[in-house]
């Protein structure tokens, strides 16, 4: 009896937590089905008024047609996918080196890499901007891809822990057969670390998809806008089209939800495997 009461109480607490966590998304979804006149009513209404009209998807249609949202969407796919793939490659190489290759100063260098995780982008964005301007990369996708391609402290840490948990006997047996370190990495350890690689890809893709600071700084042409940068065009100093903004936001999170659902099993395996020695 006590066990059942404990489970009931636990599920009640979790349900309340889930409701509180999902409440911003629920409000965003409801607002995307409202008319602008209904947005600032007092008291606030939870009724999606557009659902009861002849054009329930009017806000979504406006976003997709008037805002050129399809182009923004493809730009975000290109930027986020390229940055995430690059981060998987560089983090896998760095993680394997820190885990399996003994060299002088390995622990110190690894600590420096981890230390970069505590440095906000706002601290380095000015010298980064000056560098990108000197390279002539302003108003291109390169400033959005290259920094994420080369920097991944979280992915390096996760893959280093994952590689450390794999037995060294695999590498020793391969070296006896004359395999090089790179071949051992490519043919033995890399196939064994697929869950961790997918986890890094999912996290990197989501982070780059949500990036707003760099697109605002580096992208001037509307045809190059990513989804967050394109949505910001709906908000000006004196006015904001909040219903369209919410509709665009709902569309923008669909790929994130899908990619997480598809990779959820691997993400859990990657986090669990990375925490086991």
């Amino acid at each position: 009896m006590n066990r059942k009461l404990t489970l009931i109480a636990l599920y009640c607490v979790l349900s309340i937590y889930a409701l509180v966590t999902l409440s911003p998304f629920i409000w965003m979804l409801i607002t995307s089905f409202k008319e602008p006149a209904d947005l600032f009513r007092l008291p606030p209404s939870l009724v999606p008024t557009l659902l009861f009209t002849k054009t329930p998807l009017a806000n979504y249609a406006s976003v997709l047609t008037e805002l050129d949202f399809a182009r923004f969407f493809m730009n975000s796919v290109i930027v986020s996918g390229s940055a995430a793939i690059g981060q998987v490659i560089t983090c896998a190489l760095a993680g394997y080196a820190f885990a399996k290759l003994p060299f002088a100063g390995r622990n110190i260098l690894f600590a420096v890499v981890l230390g970069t995780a505590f440095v906000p982008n706002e601290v380095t964005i000015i010298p980064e901007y000056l560098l990108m301007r000197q390279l002539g990369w302003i108003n291109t996708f390169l400033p959005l891809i290259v920094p994420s391609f080369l920097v991944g402290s979280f992915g390096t840490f996760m893959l280093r822990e994952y590689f450390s948990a794999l037995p060294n006997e695999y590498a020793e047996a391969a070296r006896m057969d004359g395999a090089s370190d790179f071949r051992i990495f490519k043919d033995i350890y890399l196939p064994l670390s697929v869950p961790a690689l997918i986890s890094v890809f999912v996290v990197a893709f989501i982070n780059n998809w949500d990036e707003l600071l760099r697109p605002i700084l580096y992208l001037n042409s509307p045809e190059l806008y990513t989804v967050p940068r394109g949505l910001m065009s709906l908000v000006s100093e004196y006015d904001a089209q909040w219903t369209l903004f919410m509709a665009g936001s709902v569309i923008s999170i669909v790929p994130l939800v899908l990619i997480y659902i598809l990779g959820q099993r691997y993400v859990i395996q990657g986090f669990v495997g990375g925490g086991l020695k």
Side-chain angles (χ1 to χ4, degrees):
M1 187 64 180
N2 291 333
R3 179 181 175 85
K4 290 183 178 179
L5 291 176
T6 302
L7 288 175
I8 292 173
L10 178 61
Y11 281 120
C12 288
V13 172
L14 291 176
S15 299
I16 295 172
Y17 176 77
L19 182 61
V20 172
T21 304
L22 291 174
S23 58
F25 173 76
I26 295 172
W27 178 257
M28 178 177 66
L29 186 62
I30 292 174
T31 305
S32 69
F33 288 100
K34 283 185 176 182
E35 297 178 0
D38 299 325
L39 192 57
F40 297 105
R41 281 187 176 180
L42 292 176
S45 173
L46 294 177
V47 179
T49 52
L50 276 180
L51 288 180
F52 307 104
T53 65
K54 295 181 179 179
T55 56
L57 300 176
N59 290 330
Y60 291 89
S62 297
V63 168
L64 294 174
T65 55
E66 300 175 10
L67 196 61
D68 200 12
F69 199 83
R71 182 186 294 272
F72 301 159
F73 193 91
M74 288 306 302
N75 291 341
S76 285
V77 170
I78 294 171
V79 170
S80 302
S82 301
I85 292 172
Q87 202 165 123
V88 168
I89 295 172
T90 54
C91 290
L93 292 168
Y96 177 77
F98 285 126
K100 298 298 184 181
L101 301 181
F103 56 89
R106 181 177 66 173
N107 293 334
I108 296 176
L109 184 58
F110 182 63
V112 171
V113 172
L114 289 185
T116 62
F118 301 97
V119 180
N121 289 337
E122 292 77 8
V123 174
T124 60
I125 198 65
I126 294 178
E128 178 186 299
Y129 179 85
L130 296 176
L131 176 62
M132 297 302 172
R133 189 177 64 178
Q134 289 293 325
L135 293 172
W137 287 0
I138 302 298
N139 204 33
T140 69
F141 288 150
L142 291 176
L144 279 61
I145 296 174
V146 174
S148 297
F149 194 105
L150 298 178
V151 179
S153 55
F154 167 78
T156 301
F157 170 76
M158 182 175 180
L159 288 170
R160 186 250 192 187
E161 296 302 306
Y162 200 93
F163 285 131
S164 297
L166 298 176
N168 293 325
E169 287 76 11
Y170 296 146
E172 295 171 0
R175 288 193 181 96
M176 292 180 62
D177 292 335
S180 63
D181 287 325
F182 182 75
R183 185 173 181 183
I184 293 172
F185 162 74
K186 179 174 68 71
D187 294 338
I188 298 177
Y189 285 104
L190 205 59
L192 293 173
S193 59
V194 171
L197 296 175
I198 294 178
S199 300
V200 172
F201 177 86
V202 171
V203 173
F205 187 92
I206 292 174
N207 288 338
N208 284 279
W209 185 277
D210 291 335
E211 177 71 46
L212 179 60
L213 178 60
R214 287 192 176 103
I216 288 178
L217 285 177
Y218 297 123
L219 300 180
N220 303 321
S221 302
E223 61 268 15
L224 296 177
Y225 284 177
T226 58
V227 168
R229 180 65 182 89
L231 289 176
M232 286 305 298
S233 63
L234 295 171
V235 181
S236 65
E237 184 178 358
Y238 302 105
D239 188 24
Q241 302 179 60
W242 291 116
T243 54
L244 299 186
F245 187 91
M246 294 301 179
S249 299
V250 172
I251 298 174
S252 69
I253 69 172
V254 171
L256 304 184
V257 174
L258 291 178
I259 196 172
Y260 181 78
I261 291 175
L262 294 175
Q264 181 182 18
R265 178 166 61 92
Y266 298 101
V267 170
I268 295 174
Q269 291 178 8
F271 279 103
V272 172
L276 296 178
K277 286 286 187 180

